[in-house]
Amino acid sequence: MRTVDYHTAGEPFRIVPEVPVDIAGATVAERRVFAQQSGDVDAIRQLLVREPRGHADMYGGFIVPPDDDGADFGVLFWHGDGYSTACGHGTIALGVWAVQSGRVAAATDGVTPVTMDVPSGRVVAHVRCEAGVVTGVLFENVPSYPVARGIEVATSVGPVEADLAFGGALYASVEAKALGLSVVPADYVRLLQLGREIKWALNDSRLARHPLDDRLSGVYGTIIYDDLGDSPEGPHQRNVTVFADGRIDRSPCGSGSAARIALLADAGRLAPGQVLTHDSIAGTRFLGRVRGPASVDAGSSAIRGAVIPEVEGMAYRTGEHAFVLDPDDPIGTGLVLR
């Protein structure tokens, strides 16, 4: 199994350019459902994400055909617990990979769009090159919007208020000080525990149902943030995103940043032309902007406060691998200790 590995702001992304089994479906969203139900496909995910080849917080993606000729390729995102509907840091890494590998032809100087179909829709990574070297990526996400504010959630430290927003996946946002914590490595264990509590407390609620596509339903993660104030340029925040079933994002979380952009824009704290400075628990950074308003038709009514978010960051190649599975290996596709 050959992979190309990157990290985006410290968070890994393992790319599988050629998947050796069929992942059936007419769209990427359908292929995600197939992968969730296929033992053959999931064995590959397990092999690449679990120890000893991966680790508890590993992330990656399978390259698959796009929904139509309007995209360069499709992507199925995966992690230690399954398959996600969106992945912003992965989108940034894939943009860099597509240009560096020649998958998408790029100008030596300038910005090249790399268009991808993902389970939540179509995204575009605008890859900037200078003298033939990739220097940055700005990805344009699917329409993102607030879902609900001030939801009371019971936790082991008492009730707290959470805001829900969609950024390709649904995220709960809770300010760290409401939990008696700060977004610092010293609080890592408690941040993970409480982020997981909040996610599962809201995951099956009515508010977690996607209005158009039930395959996008459920709370994917909890964003716990420190609010570091506003300047004329825009707000500054630091976050840790606890995604899936207790996985920690080392980056500021790309699709989570999109959800935060939607909430901040709706609150009047992030206007067009301003920048969200979004730091991670590891000290890495994304920049977020509002590209403009978006229209999302939810059937009988439009969704309020929808915007097109832009998230800027950079990814770096960390290795190329040829993984093998010895048929006599008693561990098989790997093990999980957490």
Side-chain angles (χ1 to χ4, degrees):
M1 179 64 56
R2 296 189 178 275
T3 72
V4 185
D5 284 26
Y6 282 77
H7 84 84
T8 307
E11 178 72 358
F13 195 78
R14 178 163 286 167
I15 301 168
V16 185
E18 296 181 8
V19 187
V21 299
D22 182 54
I23 306 178
T27 65
V28 173
E30 290 180 6
R31 293 177 195 275
R32 175 175 177 257
V33 173
F34 182 89
Q36 289 172 318
Q37 300 170 349
S38 168
D40 289 341
V41 177
D42 206 51
I44 298 172
R45 177 192 67 85
Q46 293 173 20
L47 182 79
L48 298 177
V49 76
R50 292 178 174 178
E51 298 178 51
R53 299 167 189 84
H55 54 80
D57 300 297
M58 191 67 201
Y59 222 115
F62 298 136
I63 303 302
V64 297
D67 293 357
D68 57 48
D69 292 340
D72 295 301
F73 51 85
V75 191
L76 287 184
F77 299 118
W78 44 257
H79 49 73
D81 298 309
Y83 302 85
S84 60
T85 61
C87 178
H89 89 273
T91 300
I92 292 171
L94 286 159
V96 177
W97 166 78
V99 168
Q100 289 182 338
S101 68
R103 179 88 180 220
V104 174
T108 301
D109 290 283
V111 176
T112 299
V114 179
T115 305
M116 306 168 221
D117 285 328
V118 306
S120 57
R122 181 162 286 176
V123 298
V124 182
H126 300 275
V127 183
R128 184 175 65 252
C129 290
E130 298 176 11
V133 177
V134 177
T135 58
V137 178
L138 183 151
F139 92 86
E140 179 184 333
N141 201 23
V142 299
S144 303
Y145 49 85
V147 173
R149 291 184 179 275
I151 310 160
E152 186 172 293
V153 183
T155 75
S156 56
V157 296
V160 297
E161 289 191 351
D163 298 330
L164 281 177
F166 182 79
L170 189 60
Y171 291 91
S173 287
V174 176
E175 194 163 2
K177 69 180 183 182
L179 302 167
L181 300 171
S182 297
V183 180
V184 293
D187 285 344
Y188 176 94
V189 173
R190 291 289 287 149
L191 289 164
L192 189 158
Q193 176 190 343
L194 288 163
R196 192 167 179 259
E197 287 181 21
I198 293 162
K199 176 248 173 74
W200 289 119
L202 293 171
N203 187 68
D204 296 324
S205 72
R206 175 186 57 82
L207 293 170
R209 300 303 93 194
H210 192 275
L212 299 174
D213 187 346
D214 198 51
R215 294 172 298 187
L216 303 178
S217 293
V219 176
Y220 178 54
T222 303
I223 302 169
I224 302 174
Y225 66 94
D226 288 332
D227 196 327
L228 304 177
D230 292 42
S231 71
E233 290 74 29
H236 185 190
Q237 297 189 344
R238 178 174 55 239
N239 87 89
V240 62
T241 300
V242 183
F243 66 90
D245 190 18
R247 314 294 177 175
I248 291 284
D249 197 329
R250 274 69 176 156
S251 82
C253 187
S255 54
S257 292
R260 293 297 303 153
I261 289 166
L263 286 168
L264 289 164
D266 184 63
R269 292 184 59 189
L270 185 65
Q274 290 186 307
V275 177
L276 165 64
T277 301
H278 215 205
D279 296 338
S280 76
I281 191 171
T284 56
R285 177 170 289 178
F286 288 158
L287 300 177
R289 301 175 182 86
V290 176
R291 184 180 184 90
S295 176
V296 181
D297 185 1
S300 60
S301 62
I303 292 175
R304 185 185 64 82
V307 297
I308 299 295
E310 294 179 337
V311 179
E312 184 176 355
M314 181 57 188
Y316 301 90
R317 187 166 51 183
T318 59
E320 298 185 14
H321 305 281
F323 291 105
V324 299
L325 175 59
D326 189 320
D328 297 323
D329 187 346
I331 292 177
T333 57
L335 54 90
V336 179
L337 288 182
R338 197 190 78 195

